[in-house]
Amino acid sequence: MARRRTLVSLVCSGLFLATAAATPAVAQAPVGSPDATRTLSGTQLPAPPMEFGGKIEHEALKSEPWWAPRIVPPKDAPNILLIITDDSGFSVPSTFGGVIPTDTMDKLAAEGLSYTAIHSTALCSPTRAALITGRNHHSAGFGVISEQSTGYPGYNSIISKDKATIGRILLDNGYATSWFGKDHNTPAFQASQAGPFDQWPTGMGFEYFYGFVGGDANQWQPNLFRNTTQIYPFNQAEGEWNLVTAMADDAIEHITNLHQIDPSKPFFVKYAPGATHAPHHPTKEWVEKIEAMHLFDDGYQALRETIFENQKKMGLVPQDATLTEWPAGKLKPWDALTDTEKKLFIRQVEVFAAYTAYSDHEIGRVIQAVEDIGERDNTLIIYINGDNGTSAEGGPLGTFNEVAFFNGLNEIPAETQMKWYDVWGTEATYNHMAAGWAWAFDTPFDWFKQNASRLGGIRQNMVVSWPNGIEEKGGRRDQFMHVIDVVPTILEVTGIAAPEEVDGIAQKPIEGTSFAYTFDAANADSPSQHTTQYFEMFGQWALYHEGWLLSTKVNRAPWEISGAANPDPLNNQVLELYDLTSDMNQTTDIAKDHPEKVKELKALFIDEANKYQVFPLDASVQSRLVAPRPNITAGRDEFVYIKPMVGLPQGDSPLLLNTSYTITAEIDVPEGGAEGMILTSGGRFGGYGFYLKDGKPVFLWNMVDLERIKWEGKDALAPGKHTVEFDFKYDGLGTGTLAYNNSSGIGKGGTGTLKVDGTVVDSKAMKNTLPIILQWDESFDIGSDTLTGVNDADYTPPFALTAKLDKLTVKMDQPQLSEADKKTLEEALQKASD
């Protein structure tokens, strides 16, 4: 450790590393020879070219060749394996008192250090933006997920060029960099093949990417990319295929190949599995393993007590600590559930637990691959449990289809959901568990993902192992930390300085604090060097400062996403105060006893919010999902396609929600008739399709797999040219009402009419339409259907169109608010504000 500290201090002083034009301090070969190397000062990336140091005459025989030294990291810089799981609260893993077996994390903790107080932002992609930049999530443009981005610097979901990622910094300093799994940091409006690609992993410093783009993915049939090209390996797989295993396989192959090609080159791998974000998709083998353990038969309240006692035995919480009361007003006590609900809920959580254990096992395979190539001792492994607390977005009853939740259906009766009981967790579901389990899995804390003012939403844990750099085995660290601390820690242990300039752009300072000091056993109980940290998500906020926590009282459960939002989340809130040095899990609000401390910490929060682009505060949730963004459809009301095309993501395709529209297809039917998909968007769990079945035109709306509304022609189309058209007249005021904090204009009904060559062949009304979103991991496809279909009873993808498509036109007619509408909405907004 002494050698590493000396290296770091020299890097920071600028004395150790060679500048671009200077002789390297340590050279493996003479400068100018083919095998010469150099390290960088770190001030400027990429490094400017070095002046040619050879000799050039008219004849080659009289000249002297010279090669610029290859850039390498400082001597003994370790490999980095950065692992982050999804939607996993403090007590999900067995490592921190949970009941779900996480053998890989347990083993790493025994070999290294356990950290009990690293914090997240309370939501997925904001945490991930903070993790890879070392800046706060608003500083990095990710105040919310990209699907809810708005036109403010702290919320536009764009990581600006003055905040280079750790991938870019390490790449330019000689590392091989890669990213596996979830990419929720590419703006939803830049996710198509039209690019731009600078906000994709490959554009942010990661040379290789294998994973999915977006918040989550069907693990059986994901929207999977290699670099920027969508791939479909599951279509050719023999036997069961699941992304959790496929991703581990690809990472193992990648790491092994890198080492075989150049054993001297260190790697940086960001490994981000989709587990345990919904949909929970483990293999049958793992479900059966967990079922046999009977971990959850006594219900979620008993689980909470079991975990709490485990944590006391492990010393994770004080012996005299207590739990907050069960939120009976939000979540029914276990004893109050029906037998059907209990049966369903146990099935839900067993699948979740299987997904957790399965993912942890596959992470273990990746770590074993590092061992197999002989690099385990020189690899720093950071394994973070969760990018936020456990998700309650399944609602009090759980759901067979998470897409339903985002469209406001958050309490589908258990009796209805039992239809999917036997296939729970398979490709037939996009499943989530009842929120009572999530409350238990955040023990000893409470509340959930999305709740930035409660520790259950923001307090994570992690294990760190680095045999060459951490001598202590099985130690524990309780210092306050945040995910923004990971980047400066990696820079310190590699001996690489944060660049002052990247691509000619001056860089904003790193905002995190290195926790490398905790690697020394002598600093096990040292005070935290990260003393102040703000939190904010959907208008709920908190401020940590030197052991105190000022936080807003929770005023919205995560499944309550519709309706009017708090118009003044800075001031129109109940403020609570906790002394975490004596009350580590927020059980006793002492705000009334310390009014001056409340005032002081609120002022400090405002200072931090001004500094890090947190304003304007916005408490809305659902309305931001349908807010306008600068995607390739912005400002357009007509789209024309003349050839089949697949893979256009939802964020870059025409959105046919809350609007009138007309879809017109000009096709040429061959002799013998035709079938196949003309146009589809979404899939099995929510979307629409326009297709030919048995030669007859069909338009179908899949209403989140609960109902399918179909328009169908009576006769098959004869050979020859035809025009088939679907016209929909929407009855609502549209998304314009959202500007007035009012959702009354969305999700209304309308009338659909199907025509063939100008003649009406079917017409019917829809009582309601989907208000918010289609299945987000399925694309807008023309001429065939990728991934899942919108109606399994009618066809199986790809269901290619056998007619010739001459032209497809999509026209939209967005509702416009009248002056009377605006006046009414303004009056309602003023009344709510008052």
Side-chain angles (χ1 to χ4, degrees):
M1 291 300 291
R3 188 213 64 79
R4 182 178 62 77
R5 289 296 161 76
T6 301
L7 171 65
V8 172
S9 64
L10 288 172
V11 169
C12 295
S13 68
L15 297 176
F16 175 74
L17 301 178
T19 63
T23 301
V26 178
Q28 296 177 341
V31 175
S33 63
D35 55 343
T37 61
R38 61 172 172 145
T39 53
L40 302 179
S41 67
T43 57
Q44 180 181 349
L45 298 179
M50 294 180 70
E51 182 178 348
F52 180 73
K55 178 181 178 183
I56 299 177
E57 299 292 350
H58 288 177
E59 300 86 14
L61 292 176
K62 296 180 180 179
S63 301
E64 296 177 5
W66 186 92
W67 295 92
R70 178 168 50 91
I71 296 170
V72 297
K75 189 175 184 296
D76 296 329
N79 305 300
I80 311 290
L81 176 56
L82 175 59
I83 304 162
I84 184 165
T85 62
D86 209 330
D87 284 9
S88 186
F90 191 89
S91 58
V92 167
S94 53
T95 319
F96 293 89
V99 301
I100 302 173
T102 51
D103 296 345
T104 299
M105 180 173 262
D106 290 351
K107 182 180 178 182
L108 283 178
E111 295 173 352
L113 303 174
S114 298
Y115 288 78
T116 67
I118 186 166
H119 293 74
S120 67
T121 69
L123 201 62
C124 302
S125 52
T127 293
R128 292 159 190 269
L131 178 69
I132 62 174
T133 65
R135 283 89 169 184
N136 286 294
H137 57 304
H138 294 89
S139 292
F142 272 90
V144 286
I145 58 175
S146 179
E147 293 87 344
Q148 295 172 307
S149 56
T150 54
Y152 300 99
Y155 299 88
N156 60 19
S157 74
I158 297 172
I159 298 176
S160 57
K161 303 300 182 184
D162 57 356
K163 302 176 184 73
T165 72
I166 185 63
R168 176 62 193 278
I169 297 170
L170 295 184
L171 173 66
D172 282 9
N173 279 277
Y175 270 78
T177 59
S178 57
W179 180 332
F180 294 87
K182 177 172 174 173
D183 164 26
H184 206 188
N185 294 118
T186 296
F189 47 84
Q190 293 183 4
S192 79
Q193 291 306 292
F197 296 105
D198 61 314
Q199 296 281 309
W200 285 62
T202 53
M204 292 191 290
F206 296 85
E207 295 172 294
Y208 180 74
F209 171 59
Y210 178 95
F212 59 92
V213 178
D216 55 14
N218 181 333
Q219 300 294 295
W220 304 107
Q221 295 168 288
N223 59 328
L224 184 63
F225 289 82
R226 177 171 280 117
N227 299 326
T228 59
T229 300
Q230 193 163 5
I231 57 175
Y232 307 90
F234 39 85
N235 289 339
Q236 290 77 43
E238 295 182 5
E240 186 176 64
W241 188 98
N242 188 294
L243 180 57
V244 177
T245 295
M247 188 175 108
D249 288 344
D250 204 82
I252 291 168
E253 181 179 15
H254 182 74
I255 292 169
T256 304
N257 287 344
L258 284 175
H259 186 73
Q260 292 180 159
I261 295 168
D262 185 358
S264 68
K265 188 171 188 176
F267 61 77
F268 169 60
V269 173
K270 183 193 177 193
Y271 195 83
T276 47
H277 197 296
H280 304 147
H281 281 168
T283 60
K284 182 180 179 182
E285 170 193 3
W286 282 95
V287 174
E288 290 173 348
K289 286 181 180 180
I290 295 298
E291 283 179 334
M293 298 175 73
H294 296 282
L295 299 173
F296 308 106
D297 291 356
D298 294 331
Y300 36 58
Q301 287 165 287
L303 173 65
R304 189 186 188 213
E305 295 293 340
T306 296
I307 291 172
F308 195 49
E309 288 306 310
N310 289 346
Q311 291 170 338
K312 285 187 175 182
K313 291 175 184 177
M314 297 172 70
L316 293 170
V317 297
Q319 293 303 303
D320 60 352
T322 60
L323 290 169
T324 56
E325 292 184 5
W326 185 261
K330 294 288 185 182
L331 300 171
K332 287 171 65 175
W334 187 257
D335 290 344
L337 299 176
T338 66
D339 289 343
T340 298
E341 288 171 335
K342 290 179 180 179
K343 181 179 179 180
L344 175 67
F345 290 5
I346 291 173
R347 176 67 169 174
Q348 293 171 353
V349 73
E350 286 179 338
V351 170
F352 170 84
Y355 196 27
T356 300
Y358 171 36
S359 179
D360 178 81
H361 172 78
E362 295 299 313
I363 289 170
R365 290 181 56 229
V366 176
I367 294 172
Q368 183 59 49
V370 176
E371 180 85 39
D372 292 343
I373 64 173
E375 288 292 326
R376 179 67 185 85
D377 286 352
N378 194 39
T379 299
L380 170 64
I381 300 176
I382 301 174
Y383 184 167
I384 302 172
N385 169 56
D387 53 4
N388 42 241
T390 316
S391 173
E393 291 163 355
L397 302 178
T399 181
F400 72 97
N401 181 5
E402 190 192 19
V403 183
F405 157 75
F406 281 102
N407 281 290
L409 299 174
N410 53 27
E411 295 194 41
I412 299 172
E415 290 74 17
T416 300
Q417 296 193 58
M418 286 298 290
K419 173 184 174 182
W420 289 272
Y421 180 86
D422 292 331
V423 293
W424 205 271
T426 71
E427 63 180 13
T429 60
Y430 215 87
N431 51 304
H432 208 323
M433 64 183 175
W437 299 117
W439 191 281
F441 284 130
D442 288 342
T443 305
F445 313 110
D446 59 19
W447 289 93
F448 319 96
K449 170 186 178 180
Q450 294 192 29
N451 298 123
S453 61
R454 298 297 296 185
L455 293 172
I458 57 176
R459 186 154 168 177
Q460 314 302 137
N461 43 49
M462 70 177 176
V463 295
V464 177
S465 174
W466 179 23
N468 280 358
I470 300 176
E471 296 179 0
E472 185 179 358
K473 297 184 183 300
R476 201 183 89 196
R477 302 292 186 264
D478 299 323
Q479 289 90 346
F480 181 95
M481 299 171 187
H482 191 276
V483 292
I484 60 174
D485 299 338
V486 171
V487 165
T489 303
I490 291 174
L491 294 179
E492 180 174 347
V493 301
T494 58
I496 294 172
E500 298 173 8
E501 185 180 291
V502 177
D503 294 331
I505 299 173
Q507 295 294 290
K508 295 291 187 181
I510 299 290
E511 294 164 6
T513 303
S514 171
F515 55 79
Y517 68 96
T518 66
F519 293 175
D520 287 334
N523 293 327
D525 299 318
S526 294
S528 173
Q529 294 182 11
H530 189 140
T531 58
T532 304
Q533 179 62 47
Y534 82 91
F535 300 89
E536 190 279 334
M537 192 59 60
F538 301 125
Q540 298 181 54
W541 54 268
L543 190 285
Y544 170 86
H545 181 64
E546 297 179 346
W548 294 94
L549 184 72
L550 179 71
S551 56
T552 58
K553 184 176 182 179
V554 175
N555 54 21
R556 181 189 63 81
W559 58 87
E560 298 167 347
I561 64 172
S562 59
N566 182 350
D568 184 9
L570 178 62
N571 300 304
N572 189 19
Q573 303 251 37
V574 175
L575 297 182
E576 299 176 337
L577 180 67
Y578 300 92
D579 180 358
L580 298 185
T581 63
S582 59
D583 178 20
M584 58 92 68
N585 58 340
Q586 285 180 288
T587 62
T588 306
D589 172 22
I590 54 175
K592 291 182 180 178
D593 299 328
H594 300 275
E596 289 305 311
K597 178 61 71 173
V598 170
K599 183 179 179 180
E600 171 196 339
L601 294 181
K602 181 179 180 180
L604 184 53
F605 170 79
I606 293 173
D607 288 344
E608 296 291 287
N610 282 320
K611 187 188 306 181
Y612 298 122
Q613 303 185 156
V614 180
F615 293 125
L617 292 182
D618 187 346
S620 64
V621 182
Q622 192 179 56
S623 62
R624 278 197 267 185
L625 285 167
V626 290
R629 295 180 183 89
N631 64 14
I632 57 179
T633 69
R636 298 174 61 188
D637 56 16
E638 182 173 350
F639 304 83
V640 178
Y641 309 92
I642 59 173
K643 287 187 176 182
M645 176 185 72
V646 298
L648 191 60
Q650 300 295 335
D652 284 312
S653 59
L655 183 62
L656 304 186
L657 302 183
N658 308 305
T659 184
S660 297
Y661 56 89
T662 303
I663 304 173
T664 305
E666 300 173 28
I667 59 176
D668 193 347
V669 177
E671 292 295 330
E675 67 169 9
M677 185 59 64
I678 298 171
L679 170 65
T680 182
S681 192
R684 178 178 292 132
F685 306 104
Y688 62 85
F690 194 11
Y691 51 94
L692 302 181
K693 181 180 182 298
D694 300 325
K696 303 174 185 178
V698 173
F699 194 92
L700 179 140
W701 266 105
N702 175 350
M703 305 298 283
V704 295
D705 207 20
L706 288 170
E707 179 185 14
R708 285 171 173 78
I709 303 170
K710 180 189 281 190
W711 294 258
E712 186 171 10
K714 296 180 176 59
D715 302 312
L717 298 180
K721 292 186 178 295
H722 295 279
T723 299
V724 289
E725 176 185 300
F726 183 76
D727 179 75
F728 188 79
K729 302 299 183 188
Y730 181 63
D731 293 335
L733 293 177
T735 58
T737 65
L738 298 175
Y740 299 86
N741 203 16
N742 189 306
S743 60
S744 64
I746 63 175
K748 300 302 181 182
T751 301
T753 302
L754 179 64
K755 298 179 183 179
V756 175
D757 298 327
T759 300
V760 175
V761 296
D762 198 4
S763 181
K764 66 181 62 173
M766 293 177 68
K767 182 179 180 181
N768 299 104
T769 56
L770 297 182
I772 299 296
I773 199 167
L774 307 183
Q775 187 180 344
W776 44 83
D777 63 342
E778 298 263 1
S779 55
F780 181 94
D781 297 333
I782 299 168
S784 64
D785 191 356
T786 56
L787 306 185
T788 66
V790 291
N791 191 17
D792 293 334
D794 276 359
Y795 69 92
T796 300
F799 200 42
L801 180 65
T802 57
K804 181 179 181 296
L805 177 66
D806 292 328
K807 185 179 180 182
L808 177 70
T809 305
V810 179
K811 292 184 178 180
M812 296 187 295
D813 183 13
Q814 299 282 356
Q816 301 297 318
L817 297 177
S818 68
E819 291 304 315
D821 293 331
K822 294 177 184 178
K823 182 178 180 181
T824 300
L825 291 164
E826 286 171 352
E827 290 173 350
L829 178 62
Q830 184 60 51
K831 184 177 180 180
S833 298
D834 293 342

